[in-house]
Amino acid sequence: MKREEQLREQLLRVEAALRQHQLWQSTPPDAEAFSSTQPFCMDTLEPYEWLQWVLIPRMHALLDAGGELPGAFAVAPYYEIALEAQHPGREAVLAELLELDALFTGDDA
Protein backbone atom coordinates (compact mmCIF):
# COMPACT_ATOMS: atom_id res chain seq x y z
CA MET A 1 0.00 0.00 0.00
CA LYS A 2 1.28 3.43 -0.89
CA ARG A 3 2.24 5.80 1.90
CA GLU A 4 -0.50 8.24 0.87
CA GLU A 5 -3.14 5.50 1.17
CA GLN A 6 -1.76 4.47 4.57
CA LEU A 7 -1.86 8.08 5.72
CA ARG A 8 -5.44 8.57 4.56
CA GLU A 9 -6.51 5.36 6.34
CA GLN A 10 -4.74 6.41 9.52
CA LEU A 11 -6.44 9.80 9.47
CA LEU A 12 -9.76 7.98 9.24
CA ARG A 13 -8.76 5.84 12.25
CA VAL A 14 -7.95 8.98 14.25
CA GLU A 15 -11.35 10.38 13.31
CA ALA A 16 -13.04 7.10 14.28
CA ALA A 17 -11.36 7.16 17.71
CA LEU A 18 -12.55 10.72 18.27
CA ARG A 19 -16.08 9.78 17.25
CA GLN A 20 -16.11 6.61 19.35
CA HIS A 21 -15.24 8.59 22.47
CA GLN A 22 -17.71 11.41 21.74
CA LEU A 23 -14.93 13.91 21.01
CA TRP A 24 -16.09 14.76 17.47
CA GLN A 25 -17.99 18.03 17.23
CA SER A 26 -20.81 18.89 14.87
CA THR A 27 -20.20 22.64 15.01
CA PRO A 28 -16.84 24.24 14.23
CA PRO A 29 -15.25 26.74 16.60
CA ASP A 30 -15.50 30.45 15.82
CA ALA A 31 -13.31 31.56 12.92
CA GLU A 32 -11.09 33.59 15.26
CA ALA A 33 -9.94 30.38 16.93
CA PHE A 34 -8.06 29.43 13.77
CA SER A 35 -6.02 32.65 13.65
CA SER A 36 -3.87 31.59 16.60
CA THR A 37 -0.12 31.80 16.20
CA GLN A 38 0.47 29.17 18.90
CA PRO A 39 1.38 25.60 17.93
CA PHE A 40 -1.73 23.40 17.84
CA CYS A 41 -3.77 26.61 18.39
CA MET A 42 -3.31 25.75 22.06
CA ASP A 43 -4.54 29.15 23.17
CA THR A 44 -7.80 28.99 21.21
CA LEU A 45 -8.69 25.32 20.61
CA GLU A 46 -8.93 22.24 22.78
CA PRO A 47 -6.50 19.49 21.72
CA TYR A 48 -9.25 17.33 20.22
CA GLU A 49 -10.62 20.32 18.32
CA TRP A 50 -7.27 20.92 16.66
CA LEU A 51 -7.19 17.34 15.41
CA GLN A 52 -10.71 17.58 13.99
CA TRP A 53 -10.68 21.07 12.58
CA VAL A 54 -7.04 21.59 11.58
CA LEU A 55 -4.89 18.46 11.26
CA ILE A 56 -7.32 16.02 9.67
CA PRO A 57 -8.76 18.40 7.04
CA ARG A 58 -5.37 19.88 6.15
CA MET A 59 -3.78 16.47 5.70
CA HIS A 60 -6.69 15.30 3.53
CA ALA A 61 -6.40 18.49 1.45
CA LEU A 62 -2.67 17.93 1.05
CA LEU A 63 -3.27 14.36 -0.08
CA ASP A 64 -6.08 15.42 -2.45
CA ALA A 65 -3.81 18.04 -4.03
CA GLY A 66 -0.91 15.61 -4.38
CA GLY A 67 1.20 17.95 -2.29
CA GLU A 68 4.48 17.09 -0.68
CA LEU A 69 4.04 15.42 2.67
CA PRO A 70 5.95 16.69 5.69
CA GLY A 71 9.37 15.13 6.12
CA ALA A 72 9.25 15.12 9.89
CA PHE A 73 6.03 14.91 11.80
CA ALA A 74 5.13 14.07 15.38
CA VAL A 75 1.98 15.08 17.22
CA ALA A 76 1.76 12.27 19.77
CA PRO A 77 4.35 13.80 22.16
CA TYR A 78 2.23 16.94 22.51
CA TYR A 79 -0.92 14.92 23.03
CA GLU A 80 0.71 12.76 25.69
CA ILE A 81 1.02 15.97 27.72
CA ALA A 82 -2.06 17.88 26.57
CA LEU A 83 -4.76 15.24 27.00
CA GLU A 84 -6.40 14.79 30.36
CA ALA A 85 -5.08 11.59 31.90
CA GLN A 86 -8.53 10.68 33.22
CA HIS A 87 -10.36 10.96 29.91
CA PRO A 88 -11.55 7.52 28.79
CA GLY A 89 -10.65 8.24 25.14
CA ARG A 90 -7.08 9.33 25.84
CA GLU A 91 -5.34 6.00 25.29
CA ALA A 92 -7.28 5.17 22.13
CA VAL A 93 -6.57 8.55 20.56
CA LEU A 94 -2.91 8.42 21.58
CA ALA A 95 -2.52 4.96 20.04
CA GLU A 96 -3.87 6.24 16.72
CA LEU A 97 -1.65 9.34 16.84
CA LEU A 98 1.42 7.18 17.49
CA GLU A 99 0.52 5.16 14.40
CA LEU A 100 0.13 8.38 12.44
CA ASP A 101 3.53 9.61 13.58
CA ALA A 102 5.07 6.27 12.61
CA LEU A 103 4.10 6.87 8.97
CA PHE A 104 6.44 9.87 9.00
CA THR A 105 9.31 8.34 10.93
CA GLY A 106 9.22 4.84 9.50
CA ASP A 107 8.86 3.40 13.01
CA ASP A 108 6.38 0.73 13.91
CA ALA A 109 4.38 2.17 16.77
Side-chain angles (χ1 to χ4, degrees), residues 48-95:
Y48 296 114
E49 289 178 314
W50 185 83
L51 290 172
Q52 178 182 353
W53 300 107
V54 179
L55 178 71
I56 293 172
R58 285 187 184 174
M59 291 301 284
H60 278 299
L62 187 62
L63 290 167
D64 291 346
E68 187 174 333
L69 296 173
F73 182 90
V75 295
Y78 167 69
Y79 280 86
E80 288 174 340
I81 295 166
L83 300 181
E84 296 177 18
Q86 304 83 2
H87 194 284
R90 181 181 190 273
E91 294 306 315
V93 172
L94 277 177

Side-chain angles (χ1 to χ4, degrees), residues 10-82:
Q10 190 57 39
L11 291 169
L12 292 173
R13 285 194 284 275
V14 171
E15 178 179 336
L18 292 171
R19 287 181 184 276
Q20 178 183 359
H21 295 283
Q22 290 77 46
L23 298 166
W24 195 260
Q25 300 175 345
S26 58
T27 306
D30 292 333
E32 305 86 57
F34 299 101
S35 63
S36 171
T37 59
Q38 296 290 314
F40 303 98
C41 298
M42 64 175 53
D43 59 336
T44 58
L45 295 176
E46 293 298 319
Y48 296 114
E49 289 178 314
W50 185 83
L51 290 172
Q52 178 182 353
W53 300 107
V54 179
L55 178 71
I56 293 172
R58 285 187 184 174
M59 291 301 284
H60 278 299
L62 187 62
L63 290 167
D64 291 346
E68 187 174 333
L69 296 173
F73 182 90
V75 295
Y78 167 69
Y79 280 86
E80 288 174 340
I81 295 166

